[in-house]
Amino acid sequence: MDFDVDLFTIGGGSGGVRASRVSAAMGARVALAEESRLGGTCVNVGCIPKKLLVLASHFHDDFEDARGYGWEVGASSFDWARLIEAKDREIARLNGVYRRILESNGVRILEDRATVVGPHEVRVGGRIVRARHVLVATGSRPSIPEEHGASLGITSNEFFHMPALPRRAVVVGGGYIAVECAGILHGLGSEVTLVHRGDLFLRGFDGDVRSVLADELRKRGLDLRFGEKVARIDRHDGRLLATLRSGEAIATDVVLHAIGRAPNTLGLGLEDVGVELAHGGAVVVDEFSRSTVPSIHAIGDATNRINLTPVAIHEGMALAATLFGGKPTRPVHEGVPSAVFSQPPIGTVGLTEEEARARHGAVDVYKTRFRPLRHTLTGRDETIFMKLVVDPSSDRVLGCHMVGADAGEIVQGLAIALKCGATKAQFDATIGIHPTAAEEFVTMREKAVPTA
């Protein structure tokens, strides 16, 4: 078969763009189809706008804390529309950056929906493109609950385009999106109730981290309702009523559904050509991101492995090396650091205590919780929590976890140490930078939990 391109990528998010441009740089003929805006979820309705809004929501506390350092801050007010306008300008700039990156590497951009009609054939814009390899990098979409009135709520897609800041908000969910959006709204002045059906939010994170964050959020005034769920949503007198399973009705201006995301693979024609999809729609792939049809590959959220932007980028680079670089490369999914931009934020890398005990049995745990130097003058009741999980047989540090200011920035550096197989003795031998919070990671000496 004569091919029009060597690689046809469906989806212009971070993973698809990276795989496409790297493949093109290696000499492949590449086309990419994107029916919406380049950059995918991360750039448009995810990581980037979320972090900008998180930064905006910090200023309320900053203004209050300034008094402890001798500053008198005058009257302040917040303009949601102005923030969203500024955010939109930055997103538009990034859309342009992604376009220039692709075009400068010779990638052909097709602004239309693409579907797979054969192992080597893609239909886009009314024509068939024949491709040696097809890459599915379509990301994921917010899940919508099925209860009565769910359509009256919004998802994270609409969150970044709300016409006004709600005075009251109900956030439904217990993942990082729910926690982050709740913190943004609260920091900007909304009354926030977070409803989660589980006993504690952030399933999969270290148990101590989850408990500490819940404690810190309650101290800040967030209303956390665990072991609950929204049974129905009704419109009443120009407002919404979110009725909980317990029967309590909460009056609110907005209900934000943040109950998870699903692979965005529906209607692509994948199953019709023999591509196996797991429950929920994730593309089943092997260790080289190849689907059950050898010419069709998938990366990022569409595979539902580790749904993080840097992981999708890593998978895209590994695939390019495998297909066009002459170097079969497996993406690595161990030791991936992550952050939750809650308030205070979480940074984590490696195994949780629970995971470490399940794998290794006996573990040593070191942890500390303290008031940071900043708040000795502000009087704010906020603490920092840090934790190390260590394998006693090898002395290797298995996990690092933190709740507190700059957690993501600090743990990024620790991720390098864990990647290199650092031991607790090497942490102990490292001289700390004083006075910083980060130095606590190299000064914890006493075991918090005996070896099991």
Side-chain angles (χ1 to χ4, degrees):
M1 177 185 291
D2 292 329
F3 298 110
D4 301 308
V5 296
D6 299 307
L7 177 68
F8 192 105
T9 301
I10 305 176
S14 298
V17 167
R18 181 61 64 90
S20 297
R21 80 163 182 83
V22 173
S23 295
M26 291 176 173
R29 298 168 299 162
V30 182
L32 179 147
E34 173 55 62
E35 61 180 321
S36 184
R37 292 177 295 176
L38 291 172
T41 296
C42 178
V43 168
N44 295 290
V45 287
C47 323
I48 300 300
K50 178 265 306 283
K51 186 65 178 292
L52 292 173
L53 267 58
V54 167
L55 293 171
S57 66
H58 285 174
F59 283 93
H60 178 271
D61 287 353
D62 291 343
F63 293 149
E64 283 189 350
D65 292 346
R67 295 187 179 93
Y69 287 87
W71 290 89
E72 282 300 329
V73 180
S76 62
S77 62
F78 172 69
D79 188 331
W80 170 265
R82 194 165 68 183
L83 171 61
I84 297 304
E85 180 183 357
K87 179 266 296 181
D88 287 344
R89 285 197 303 270
E90 174 59 12
I91 300 310
R93 185 188 73 82
L94 292 174
N95 294 150
V97 169
Y98 271 65
R99 179 175 295 277
R100 289 192 295 274
I101 287 174
L102 290 170
E103 291 177 341
S104 65
N105 282 278
V107 177
R108 181 183 177 192
I109 303 171
L110 304 174
E111 298 179 58
D112 212 330
R113 178 171 177 77
T115 56
V116 179
V117 295
H120 296 279
E121 294 177 322
V122 178
R123 177 180 288 115
V124 57
R127 62 168 290 212
I128 300 295
V129 178
R130 292 167 298 180
R132 187 180 305 275
H133 297 282
V134 176
L135 171 59
V136 178
T138 48
S140 60
R141 66 187 187 282
S143 299
I144 306 294
E146 298 179 354
E147 55 257 24
H148 172 85
S151 61
L152 296 173
I154 65 172
T155 70
S156 56
N157 284 353
E158 296 80 38
F159 174 78
F160 297 104
H161 301 283
M162 291 189 299
L165 178 71
R167 187 172 69 83
R168 299 160 299 184
V170 171
V171 178
V172 184
Y176 70 92
I177 295 174
V179 172
E180 291 171 338
C181 289
I184 289 169
L185 290 167
H186 180 266
L188 295 177
S190 301
E191 298 175 13
V192 179
T193 301
L194 187 147
V195 180
H196 176 47
R197 64 184 181 180
D199 294 335
L200 197 58
F201 50 28
L202 297 177
R203 182 168 59 90
F205 284 78
D206 185 86
D208 282 332
V209 166
R210 300 165 72 197
S211 297
V212 168
L213 183 64
D215 182 39
E216 294 294 333
L217 293 185
R218 285 193 172 107
K219 286 193 293 186
R220 297 175 71 88
L222 273 79
D223 184 3
L224 304 181
R225 305 291 188 94
F226 296 136
E228 265 288 10
K229 68 171 293 184
V230 173
R232 62 181 293 143
I233 304 170
D234 299 280
R235 192 179 296 280
H236 180 70
D237 291 339
R239 63 183 181 179
L240 299 179
L241 285 178
T243 302
L244 305 184
R245 182 169 48 191
S246 62
E248 178 185 359
I250 302 175
T252 184
D253 300 305
V254 67
V255 176
L256 170 62
H257 301 301
I259 59 171
R261 297 178 66 86
N264 200 24
T265 56
L266 294 178
L268 292 182
L270 295 172
E271 289 179 295
D272 295 336
V273 300
V275 173
E276 181 183 354
L277 301 182
H279 178 72
V283 180
V284 176
V285 294
D286 66 12
E287 57 187 349
F288 292 99
S289 299
R290 180 175 54 188
S291 79
T292 50
V293 176
S295 58
I296 299 177
H297 316 265
I299 61 172
D301 288 13
T303 66
N304 199 27
R305 287 178 284 185
I306 298 179
N307 297 343
L308 295 171
T309 293
V311 174
I313 291 172
H314 169 63
E315 291 169 354
M317 294 176 67
L319 183 67
T322 297
L323 297 182
F324 306 110
K327 184 180 180 181
T329 303
R330 301 176 179 86
V332 178
H333 296 106
E334 291 289 329
V336 175
S338 65
V340 179
F341 295 104
S342 48
Q343 298 179 41
I346 292 170
T348 182
V349 62
L351 301 181
T352 66
E353 180 180 346
E354 295 79 10
E355 290 170 336
R357 289 190 182 280
R359 292 192 192 184
H360 297 270
V363 295
D364 291 337
V365 175
Y366 302 80
K367 53 187 176 181
T368 182
R369 190 173 184 181
F370 57 94
R371 173 181 283 190
L373 183 63
R374 171 188 174 96
H375 294 312
T376 59
L377 296 189
T378 69
R380 183 175 298 280
D381 183 16
E382 181 175 300
T383 61
I384 287 177
F385 173 78
M386 295 176 174
K387 180 174 184 176
L388 292 175
V389 181
V390 179
D391 177 7
S393 63
S394 65
D395 198 40
R396 182 177 176 182
V397 178
L398 302 174
C400 304
H401 310 280
M402 176 178 174
V403 180
D406 300 318
E409 306 290 346
I410 292 170
V411 170
Q412 177 66 82
L414 296 178
I416 301 173
L418 264 65
K419 191 74 172 178
C420 296
T423 64
K424 182 63 168 62
Q426 289 170 329
F427 269 58
D428 294 345
T430 301
I431 297 175
I433 301 172
H434 185 74
T436 65
E439 68 178 316
E440 294 290 329
F441 273 116
V442 298
T443 60
M444 286 187 278
R445 297 290 191 270
E446 295 185 7
K447 299 174 188 177
V449 178
T451 301

